[in-house]
């Protein structure tokens, strides 16, 4: 916006305001305000566009070669005007940085993913420390399992199950019934109709090594019983397979 001229001992001509664009006029206005503040403190009056120095003398006060034209260096007003320009540049830089920070704040943030795998390959909820993985069924159980208690926050637990993330919930065959995701395929009849164990939507694998496949006689199991119940002298399977066929 401002260009350096050649060294001259002639007084620097004033800026022609009618040749300046809107941005230049605005910057000069701000500079004049700063200069007025400086002048008020020093008892002088000067404007950026005038050739009147703060000491009342005329000359090449703010001429680009002022320091070389005068053996004794630039006149006192020059230092203050250069200070004005520096302050103005700092103001513009600060505004640019603030605009950049504001733009970054408006950028969409990636949602926080709290899905994790808890012990025994169970669906879990990741705490704020990004290390602790709480089993899904421990969330909203009125016991803070995360260090900061984020697994019991009102936003998460205020309207169960709607307030829970979808990955923490499994809906039973009855629309009004639901269980936590880590209760699906755990061998237990958590839904009450075994839909969390035998329903096609549950997609449970066959009984594992720690289970015995049969038709249980007790309501708590669905299609398997724990092997620890085999050969205990009590019927757990129809046909008594848990007592006669299940290996000890």
């Amino acid at each position: 916006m401002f260009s350096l001229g050649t060294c001259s001992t002639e007084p620097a001509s004033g800026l022609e305001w009618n040749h300046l664009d809107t941005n230049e006029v605005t910057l000069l206005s701000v500079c004049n305000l700063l200069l007025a503040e400086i002048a008020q403190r020093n008892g002088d009056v000067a404007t950026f566009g005038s050739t009147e120095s703060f000491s009342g003398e005329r000359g090449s006060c703010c001429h680009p070669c002022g320091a070389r034209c005068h053996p004794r260096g630039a006149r006192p007003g020059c230092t203050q005007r250069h200070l004005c320009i520096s302050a103005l540049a700092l103001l513009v830089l600060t505004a640019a940085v603030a605009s950049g920070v504001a733009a970054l704040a408006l950028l969409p943030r990636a949602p926080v993913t709290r899905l994790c795998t808890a012990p025994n390959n169970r669906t879990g909820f990741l705490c704020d420390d990004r290390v602790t993985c709480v089993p899904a069924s421990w969330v909203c159980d009125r016991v803070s399992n995360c260090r900061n208690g984020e697994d019991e926050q009102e936003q998460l637990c205020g309207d169960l199950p709607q307030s829970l993330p979808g990955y923490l919930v499994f809906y039973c065959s009855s629309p009004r019934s639901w269980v936590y995701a880590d209760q699906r395929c755990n061998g237990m009849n958590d839904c009450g109709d075994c839909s969390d164990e035998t329903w096609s939507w549950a997609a449970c694998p066959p009984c594992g090594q720690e289970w015995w496949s049969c038709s249980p006689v007790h309501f708590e199991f669905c299609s398997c019983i724990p092997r620890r119940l085999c050969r205990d002298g009590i019927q757990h399977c129809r046909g008594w397979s848990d007592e006669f066929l299940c290996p000890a």
Side-chain angles (χ1 to χ4, degrees):
M1 181 172 68
F2 300 103
S3 60
L4 294 176
T6 58
C7 184
S8 172
T9 57
E10 295 297 325
S13 61
L15 293 173
E16 298 182 9
W17 290 73
N18 58 343
H19 290 164
L20 300 178
D21 59 25
T22 304
N23 292 332
E24 290 174 331
V25 171
T26 302
L27 292 176
L28 291 176
S29 299
V30 174
C31 189
N32 276 332
L33 291 176
L34 294 175
L35 281 173
E37 177 67 20
I38 296 174
Q40 183 177 5
R41 294 181 180 180
N42 295 335
D44 298 324
V45 176
T47 58
F48 189 86
S50 71
T51 58
E52 192 75 23
S53 70
F54 280 84
S55 60
E57 300 175 356
R58 288 185 174 271
S60 55
C61 173
C62 285
H63 192 278
C65 299
R68 288 182 291 164
C69 295
H70 299 277
R72 298 181 181 179
R75 300 193 180 187
C78 293
T79 301
Q80 299 186 36
R81 291 191 182 185
H82 291 162
L83 177 61
C84 168
I85 297 174
S86 299
L88 183 58
L90 180 60
L91 180 63
V92 173
L93 179 60
T94 302
V97 171
S99 299
V101 172
L104 290 176
L106 294 176
L107 291 177
R109 298 181 179 180
V112 177
T113 302
R114 293 190 179 273
L115 174 62
C116 61
T117 303
N120 298 324
N121 202 31
R122 302 164 68 185
T123 301
F125 175 85
L126 188 63
C127 299
D128 285 346
D129 61 10
R130 315 302 293 177
V131 175
T132 307
C133 186
V134 175
S137 55
W138 292 12
V139 176
C140 301
D141 62 350
R142 299 184 181 181
V143 177
S144 295
N145 300 287
C146 293
R147 179 179 302 177
N148 299 324
E150 52 269 26
D151 59 315
E152 300 297 322
Q153 290 180 352
E154 178 65 22
Q155 182 179 2
L156 186 68
C157 308
D159 184 21
L160 299 177
Q162 287 77 14
S163 56
L164 290 173
Y167 59 82
L168 292 180
V169 180
F170 175 82
Y171 288 94
C172 304
S173 60
S174 174
R176 296 184 179 182
S177 299
W178 65 278
V179 296
Y180 284 98
D182 63 337
Q183 294 174 319
R184 178 184 66 89
C185 303
N186 66 349
M188 308 299 292
N189 185 13
D190 295 296
C191 280
D193 58 1
C194 286
S195 58
D196 56 312
E197 300 295 324
T198 60
W199 197 23
S200 59
W201 184 253
C204 296
C207 299
Q209 294 182 353
E210 298 181 358
W211 296 80
W212 173 253
S213 178
C214 71
S215 296
V217 297
H218 298 291
F219 179 79
E220 59 183 323
F221 303 115
C222 293
S223 60
C224 310
I225 64 168
R227 281 185 178 270
R228 58 181 172 78
L229 299 179
C230 292
R231 308 279 180 161
D232 65 350
I234 302 174
Q235 182 184 11
H236 299 284
C237 297
R238 295 175 183 177
W240 292 83
S241 64
D242 57 309
E243 297 299 317
F244 297 104
L245 300 178
C246 180

